[in-house]
Amino acid sequence: MAPESLADLPYAATLSPHRGTLAAGTDYEGAHFDGLDLAAPRARGSRFLECAFTRVTIEDGQLRLARFSDVWLSEVRLTATELTETSWMDATLAGCMAAGVTADATRLRRVTFRNCKLDGVNFRSATLSEVSFADCLLRDVDFGGATLLRCTFPGSQLRETDFSQVTLEQVDLRGAELGLILTPGALRGATISHAQLAEVAPLLAEHGGITVADPD
């Protein structure tokens, strides 16, 4: 189960305050990034192990190929930041905001997004395994060509969220508001409720070449 607070982290007592910006190709272990305003940090290929980010703002960041393992992010704001080909494992993002973030070809495993706002985030060709979006707002988020395995979206709002050419396996969309952009067969492998089926039925009919018309 994802931790509810910073104090719940098994490594909370060993965290050390980090001061300064981020550097490329650097190993960060047991670092606590708190209250930082990072403008245009360049941390390509860096590795973050058992780290916490609280009340951090990252704008125009370059973190391509970075690796995040056992990390906690709370009230973090990411704007116009590149996370292409990053790797995330056992991570929690709580109350975070991401806008204009490029995260294509990322790999996320056992990651929890809770009460987050994602606006214009690009997850194209990403692989998400055991990822939960709980009570989140996803607006103009692009999952085109991505693979989602055992993912859930409880209480989340998906608005103009692109599921074109996605591959889904054991994905539970029940409890989510579905404002999806779909291609034929895109929801194969997903579980939805009867109410959601009624909402997406017009799209499914359109993709199936079905004309729906009441008799005169």
Side-chain angles (χ1 to χ4, degrees):
M1 181 178 295
E4 294 292 330
S5 68
L6 181 65
D8 293 333
L9 300 176
Y11 52 86
T14 64
L15 291 171
S16 300
H18 175 87
R19 296 176 178 82
T21 188
L22 303 176
T26 301
D27 289 339
Y28 298 94
E29 184 172 353
H32 185 189
F33 306 85
D34 180 53
L36 301 178
D37 190 352
L38 303 176
R42 297 297 181 256
R44 179 187 175 102
S46 290
R47 292 164 294 279
F48 301 85
L49 174 63
E50 295 187 348
C51 292
F53 297 77
T54 54
R55 298 179 295 117
V56 172
T57 297
I58 298 177
E59 184 174 359
D60 189 29
Q62 170 55 261
L63 286 89
R64 189 184 185 102
L65 294 169
R67 297 175 62 185
F68 300 84
S69 300
D70 289 295
V71 294
W72 163 271
L73 288 78
S74 176
E75 299 182 50
V76 172
R77 297 175 63 87
L78 298 168
T79 306
T81 291
E82 182 177 8
L83 296 173
T84 299
E85 297 182 275
T86 53
S87 173
W88 299 72
M89 180 179 291
D90 297 317
T92 299
L93 294 86
C96 298
M97 188 280 290
V101 170
T102 303
D104 52 305
T106 57
R107 299 183 303 279
L108 296 88
R109 184 178 182 189
R110 295 192 300 270
V111 175
T112 297
F113 294 84
R114 187 168 59 241
N115 297 312
C116 295
K117 294 182 179 180
L118 282 65
D119 195 342
V121 176
N122 176 5
F123 284 117
R124 292 189 70 84
S125 302
T127 300
L128 292 77
S129 178
E130 298 178 60
V131 175
S132 173
F133 295 88
D135 300 311
C136 295
L137 172 61
L138 284 70
R139 181 166 47 212
D140 294 320
V141 173
D142 190 351
F143 288 103
T147 299
L148 282 68
L149 311 173
R150 298 179 297 281
C151 295
T152 60
F153 294 80
S156 290
Q157 302 174 54
L158 281 62
R159 300 180 181 175
E160 295 298 316
T161 298
D162 195 339
F163 267 35
S164 299
Q165 307 297 331
V166 295
T167 299
L168 307 180
E169 182 178 330
Q170 299 181 43
V171 172
D172 194 341
L173 292 170
R174 290 174 296 180
E177 178 184 312
L178 301 183
L180 301 176
I181 299 170
L182 299 173
T183 49
L187 289 183
R188 184 178 293 115
T191 300
I192 62 176
S193 67
H194 286 90
Q196 289 171 322
L197 177 59
E199 293 175 5
V200 300
L203 275 175
L204 299 180
E206 179 183 345
H207 293 155
I210 302 170
T211 299
V212 180
D214 294 325
D216 293 335

